[in-house]
Amino acid sequence: MNFLPIFVDLRSRSCLMVGGGEVAARKVELLIRAGASVEVVSPKLGDSLNRLNKEYSQIEWIESEFVNSHINKQQLIYAATDNSVVNREVSELAQQHNIPVNVVDAPELCTFITPSIIDRSPVVAAISTGGSSPVLARLIRSQLETMIPSAYGRLAQLASRFRLKVQEKIKPEQRRIFWEKMLQGPIAEMVFSGREGEAEKSMQDMIEHCSNKHSGRTSGKDNILNQGEVYLVGGGPGDPDLLTFRALRLMQQADVVVYDRLISPAVLDLVRRDAEQIYVGKESSNHSVPQSEINQLLAKLAEQGKRVLRLKGGDPFIFGRGGEEIELLAERGISFQIVPGITAASGISSYAGIPLTHRDHAQSVTFATGHLKDNSSNLNWAALAQPGQTIVFYMGLKGIKTISAKLIEHGMDPLTPAALVQKGTTPDQKEYIGSLVTLPEIVAESQIKPPTLIIIGSVVTLHDRLNWFDPEQNQGSKPRVF
Ligand SMILES: C[S@@+](CC[C@H](N)C(=O)[O-])C[C@H]1O[C@@H](n2cnc3c(N)ncnc32)[C@H](O)[C@@H]1O
């Protein structure tokens, strides 16, 4: 190890920056974030430092060339001028005064280097390659950024508020286990999903429960650590790269996953390997597991203390019955959280190069179900047939003839462009393009593989120019494993 990683307390301490350009500005900003006061020596300031100087009283601009007397017992010294002679001089003088010095882009003149950082204050992670490849450090950082929830800082603050109470109530030999459970369990999830009041209360219950248990008394309350919960997660339209960070994190910590037909194998592949998998697949005419049974199943698994991942295609709240599934959980007081996903209309319109709105074509967009009850009577066809909008039909493959006929009957131009996209965002994506009048024929003559989405409106004409996704290039592409 060439450098010792340490964290330095700079609050209200003085640092020196020699240089006034953009690189200097980035370092000064970091020093200010760490609470330091900074003397900046430079005859001129660039735009960014000028702005910082006006904004922060902790910056003192010394409008001059560097001279030896500027070094004056500071905690840290930086040199970031474009003059290598001055940079070297600053480094030598700082070392004579035993003050740590960093010269930007000149590792041989540095006695300390600044790492790439992930800031979830008070949690901070630092990555260094010892100056050998700052770009590699940044790449590693961006991978870690995706894995460390942005709310870790709030979790650390919660832990810090209860530190003394835990010390007082929980025996030393039990504390490590207590913190591990708290930081990885339902309380952490409450913080990550913004339910901090609930987390605070659960923390009090958990401390009470654990201290009673150790002293042989029972609290009569359910132990928060043994309570299960349900994550209702949108798995997006198929491409695993379209999952959210939160979806991925919950997928990797669930004990059991309950999923349906729309979940692509590539997405399912990212669920924790040893999680139990329960398929409750549904097709429009063949409900393999009735909805009420799915609702009961989720509640039962959570009541057994499991972390249940209910993984749904697209977004759970768009034609996804997500609302029905959590109603029962809410009734029974079971903890749950909902993670939105990219709905089919967004994913498929992007991957097919068909914008859903466009100033020259459509000022609004409607998502409608094509799963027609009573052979179509339940949609407001007159409103859907109005010009200047885009209509997206989910579950419309079987009803495409009726959809087309009804829209024409209510005044839509039969030549209105229309597209049907099969298995959008996956290696099997295929677009069938026609018009309101021709699309049903095109579909009847083709071997279509569900799921499919129908987009109607003049935005479809943009497909020719904006179509960028090449499914062939995505054949066999492996999902990224974090
Ligand atoms: C029961 S709905 C669920 C919608 C989902 N909750 C969403 O937000 O995308 C199922 C319909 O979504 C559409 N769909 C979902 N994924 C799709 C995909 N990859 N390609 C085309 N259509 C898709 C199809 O119309 C399918 O019949």
Side-chain angles (χ1 to χ4, degrees), residues 380-386 391 393 402-413 436 456:
N380 184 346
W381 294 106
L384 292 176
Q386 293 301 310
I391 314 162
F393 281 98
T402 313
I403 291 170
S404 160
K406 283 282 176 193
L407 289 172
I408 294 172
E409 185 188 318
H410 285 80
M412 193 180 261
D413 182 350
L436 202 50
I456 297 171

Side-chain angles (χ1 to χ4, degrees), residues 6-19:
I6 56 168
F7 290 85
V8 184
D9 183 357
L10 288 178
R11 283 169 300 172
S12 305
R13 289 169 204 258
S14 160
C15 298
L16 176 67
M17 167 59 72
V18 182

Side-chain angles (χ1 to χ4, degrees), residues 2 30 135 176 190 238 252 262 295 333 393:
N2 292 339
L30 203 61
V135 175
R176 186 181 53 80
M190 287 170 196
Q252 293 188 346
L262 282 176
N295 305 350
F393 281 98

Side-chain angles (χ1 to χ4, degrees), residues 31 47 74 81 83 85 93 124 175 179 212 266 287 301 334 361 371 400 438 460 474 478:
L31 290 169
D47 289 347
Q74 291 93 350
T81 74
N83 182 333
V85 178
L93 279 165
V124 176
R175 272 182 219 150
W179 284 120
N212 284 341
H287 283 243
L301 291 166
I334 295 168
H361 296 270
H371 182 51
I400 187 160
T438 61
V460 172
N474 280 266
K478 284 257 170 279

Side-chain angles (χ1 to χ4, degrees), residues 236-239 261-262 282 284 312-321 341-346 348 393-397 421-426 429 449-454:
D239 184 343
R261 190 178 51 92
L262 282 176
K282 285 187 285 189
S284 62
K312 299 189 76 85
D315 181 275
F317 277 5
I318 296 185
F319 303 125
R321 294 187 150 194
I342 292 192
T343 189
S346 297
I348 283 128
F393 281 98
Y394 287 66
M395 301 167 280
L397 182 59
V421 183
Q422 82 166 24
K423 292 196 162 198
T425 80
T426 77
Q429 173 170 319
K449 295 185 207 153
T452 63
L453 197 80
I454 299 167

Side-chain angles (χ1 to χ4, degrees), residues 182-257:
M182 178 262 169
L183 294 168
Q184 298 177 82
I187 293 179
E189 278 311 322
M190 287 170 196
V191 175
F192 296 155
S193 55
R195 293 173 288 155
E196 293 200 51
E198 218 181 305
E200 191 102 11
K201 183 171 174 314
S202 298
M203 189 73 186
Q204 273 157 9
D205 290 351
M206 183 175 160
I207 295 173
E208 204 60 32
H209 177 93
C210 293
S211 69
N212 284 341
K213 195 170 140 206
H214 300 149
S215 62
R217 282 174 283 142
T218 51
S219 69
K221 273 184 188 166
D222 261 358
N223 181 1
I224 176 82
L225 296 177
N226 296 331
Q227 278 172 19
E229 56 185 335
V230 176
Y231 315 135
L232 178 61
V233 172
D239 184 343
D241 276 3
L242 296 180
L243 287 165
T244 60
F245 293 155
R246 186 176 291 177
L248 188 61
R249 187 169 50 73
L250 296 175
M251 285 163 75
Q252 293 188 346
Q253 73 181 38
D255 299 311
V256 50
V257 52

